[in-house]
Amino acid sequence: MHIDFLRDVFRRSSDKEAVVWLDQTSSYAWLVDAVETWTGFLRDRRLAPGTVVSLEADFSPTAIALLLALVNEGAIIVPLTPSVEAKKPEFRKIAQVEATISISGDDRAQLVNTGVEATHELIAGVRSAGHPGLVLFSSGSTGTSKAAIHDFVPLLEKFKVPRHSLRTLTFLLFDHIGGVNTLLYVLSNAGCVVTVPNRSPDLVCAAIEKHRVQLLPTSPTFINLLLASEAYRHHDLSSLEVVTYGTEVMPASTLERFHRLFPRVRLQQTYGLSEVGILRAQSRSADSLWVKVGGDGFETRIVDGMLQIRARSAMLGYLNAPSPFTADGWLPTGDAVDVDGEYLRIRGRQSEL
């Protein structure tokens, strides 16, 4: 029900490559069948709608199919990748995880009931709506990780508008709002999800060359690593059309050097937060740090030099912290910005300036 629009896309694109994993390809026809198979598995295991399930995996064919099956079955999904291995017990406890699905290195899945009963009022709210949910943890770089809970239905809405079909490398993590956004964007436009076993510059460049990747969503930190390693010199990156970057402030020197080395690649700044999702963004130019953010379902305003966002896809709240929203529904992002007409320049977190 919730992913019917995606299934329609998949069926119309049945012969196209959907996922590349360990250099093996899976088609959209395979993905349709896999989602059905895992839906049957969840029903056989009597996984009720509204069950809080941790999906412990990185990008893989099974992880993608299971995520879609869980959304369709109305589960509240807590994606957890190996990058947070040490924190998994803490995160399961905060999210009141009732069942875990772990996916092994050979892409096999195992479901285990935890015996926990989720009682948080925000979880109860998602259940009463009859909608799937999504719980994402912040990095916790400034303290304890916060657990943002979303109604998954508003997050899906923007992907019903057709956009460009691109072969895309999944650099951002499976349990990061950017990774979830990348996955849904690619699948909703019948693009190809190209996975990598790790995110080193050489492996990323090799995957771009081998699988003719067109879009690389990444971070300024990785772009710096790429330039410093000079891995790009050893691979054919001519297929690459767009590099999007977010998650942190881009140094002007890095932007200038990248643009000089890759003049044909469009460099596009993005902006998003676990609390509100990913906004549509338009850079003033490929070599500019000024960006216009917003899009359907998003509003922005500047209060005392700080960016605030109001979004239809905003989280319902935190499972382990007070609501950060203002009385009229705006999220203070904590990001200081400069303003030039419709364009913003993100200066960074107020605490870091």
Side-chain angles (χ1 to χ4, degrees):
M1 176 175 63
H2 302 295
I3 62 165
D4 285 350
F5 76 101
L6 289 173
R7 284 175 161 149
D8 289 342
V9 171
F10 300 169
R11 291 188 181 106
R12 290 196 301 269
S13 311
S14 59
D15 293 337
K16 291 185 66 176
E17 291 182 357
V19 186
V20 175
W21 180 71
L22 300 182
D23 292 333
Q24 302 296 309
T25 61
S26 300
S27 69
Y28 275 99
W30 175 90
L31 187 54
V32 168
D33 290 343
V35 172
E36 292 301 320
T37 296
W38 287 113
T39 298
F41 168 81
L42 297 174
R43 291 176 180 175
D44 288 345
R45 296 297 299 268
R46 302 186 184 279
L47 194 87
T51 301
V52 182
V53 182
S54 64
L55 181 55
E56 304 188 11
D58 203 342
F59 286 104
S60 74
T62 293
I64 292 167
L66 257 170
L67 175 68
L68 295 174
L70 286 164
V71 171
N72 203 51
E73 290 300 288
I76 298 171
I77 305 150
V78 188
L80 299 174
T81 62
S83 69
V84 296
E85 196 66 41
K87 290 190 170 185
K88 281 182 180 178
E90 174 194 348
F91 287 177
R92 293 187 199 112
K93 183 177 180 180
I94 292 169
Q96 301 181 353
V97 168
E98 297 169 307
T100 65
I101 298 179
S102 53
I103 299 178
S104 61
D106 61 359
D107 216 26
R108 298 189 181 190
Q110 180 180 26
L111 187 152
V112 176
N113 292 311
T114 65
V116 171
E117 182 180 354
T119 57
H120 197 288
E121 62 181 358
L122 293 177
I123 292 173
V126 177
R127 286 173 170 165
S128 64
H131 289 177
L134 178 67
V135 177
L136 297 171
F137 284 87
S138 66
S139 64
S141 57
T142 57
T144 303
S145 296
K146 294 176 182 176
I149 181 168
H150 287 264
D151 181 328
F152 218 126
V153 170
L155 287 174
L156 289 170
E157 278 303 309
K158 72 175 182 178
F159 299 105
K160 294 180 179 179
V161 179
R163 301 197 186 278
H164 300 293
S165 178
L166 298 170
R167 298 178 66 84
T168 304
L169 194 140
T170 53
F171 181 89
L172 303 175
L173 295 175
F174 188 62
D175 56 359
H176 183 281
I177 187 62
V180 174
N181 187 80
T182 298
L183 176 66
L184 293 173
Y185 177 91
V186 176
L187 295 180
S188 63
N189 292 290
C192 181
V193 175
V194 178
T195 70
V196 284
N198 71 59
R199 291 157 176 85
S200 69
D202 194 65
L203 269 177
V204 167
C205 288
I208 292 170
E209 176 179 16
K210 184 168 186 176
H211 301 295
R212 309 306 294 158
V213 168
Q214 298 165 283
L215 169 62
L216 172 63
T218 187
S219 67
T221 294
F222 177 79
I223 292 173
N224 258 324
L225 283 173
L226 175 66
L227 297 178
S229 70
E230 298 191 341
Y232 58 87
R233 295 184 181 276
H234 311 300
H235 300 278
D236 176 8
L237 306 186
S238 60
S239 64
L240 195 59
E241 299 173 14
V242 184
V243 172
T244 60
Y245 66 91
T247 75
E248 62 199 60
V249 176
M250 169 74 86
S253 57
T254 302
L255 183 70
E256 290 164 6
R257 187 175 175 213
F258 184 93
H259 190 61
R260 188 169 65 251
L261 287 169
F262 303 99
R264 297 177 59 186
V265 176
R266 183 159 54 93
L267 200 58
Q268 181 176 318
Q269 187 174 177
T270 61
Y271 188 85
L273 298 166
S274 297
E275 291 85 352
V276 294
I278 306 296
L279 288 71
R280 288 190 60 75
Q282 180 183 343
S283 298
R284 179 179 278 172
S285 63
D287 57 352
S288 174
L289 293 171
W290 292 90
V291 63
K292 182 163 52 176
V293 298
D296 187 37
F298 294 96
E299 299 172 81
T300 61
R301 71 182 185 188
I302 311 302
V303 178
D304 298 328
M306 307 295 289
L307 176 63
Q308 296 189 0
I309 297 172
R310 186 161 62 183
R312 287 202 298 265
S313 61
M315 68 171 184
L316 304 173
Y318 294 125
L319 295 177
N320 60 339
S323 172
F325 294 104
T326 63
D328 52 351
W330 292 82
L331 175 77
T333 66
D335 280 323
V337 296
D338 296 323
V339 182
D340 184 10
E342 293 182 294
Y343 289 90
L344 307 176
R345 182 170 59 190
I346 311 297
R347 296 175 55 210
R349 292 275 157 166
Q350 185 180 36
S351 60
E352 297 170 358
L353 296 178

